[in-house]
Amino acid sequence: PAAAAAYEQALVDDPADEDARLGLAQVHLLSRTEGLDPAVVRAAAAADRGDLTAQLLVADLDVLGGHVEDAFARLVDAVRATTGEDRERVRTHLLELFDIVGAGDERVAKARRALMSALF
């Protein structure tokens, strides 16, 4: 919580502070996954592809575990399968994961193209 508050304050002081924005995204990722049982989350996601919360959490776990391409593919598929607010929720989450992995990463570039295709 202290790190999140510090990053949030840094963004209030300078909304263009990319380091603070990235740091806050990383803190959010760690916060979302803290204490999760990966097996339980993965089972929930496998049992119900429409459970967006489970899909988002599995993507988070995949990024943390270095399975970045799997995370991106899961969420691009979810964008294709959803509409409206659900689609926006998944899209926004995916963009946050792109930031965490880094804009210069080829996997991000590939997933951005896939996302654009899924949206249009």
Side-chain angles (χ1 to χ4, degrees):
Y7 286 129
E8 288 166 355
Q9 184 58 51
L11 287 169
V12 167
D13 295 342
D14 180 6
D17 185 337
E18 287 300 309
D19 290 334
R21 190 178 61 75
L22 177 58
L24 185 59
Q26 291 171 337
V27 167
H28 286 161
L29 174 65
L30 293 172
S31 176
R32 287 191 304 264
T33 57
E34 183 179 11
L36 291 180
D37 181 335
V40 170
V41 174
R42 289 183 188 285
D48 183 0
R49 300 285 294 165
D51 181 347
L52 290 183
T53 299
Q55 301 305 324
L56 296 174
L57 288 173
V58 169
D60 287 346
L61 291 170
D62 282 346
V63 167
L64 284 175
H67 305 284
V68 172
E69 290 166 325
D70 293 340
F72 291 168
R74 174 180 298 277
L75 295 187
V76 169
D77 288 346
V79 165
R80 285 190 183 101
T82 56
T83 60
E85 290 179 15
D86 287 342
R87 177 181 263 194
E88 183 59 18
R89 178 180 173 206
V90 175
R91 185 191 71 80
T92 301
H93 195 94
L94 182 54
L95 293 178
E96 184 176 283
L97 294 181
F98 287 169
D99 285 343
I100 290 168
V101 174
D105 191 299
E106 179 55 35
R107 297 169 297 183
V108 171
K110 181 179 175 186
R112 280 190 188 279
R113 290 189 295 273
L115 175 60
M116 292 304 293
S117 176
L119 289 170
F120 303 103

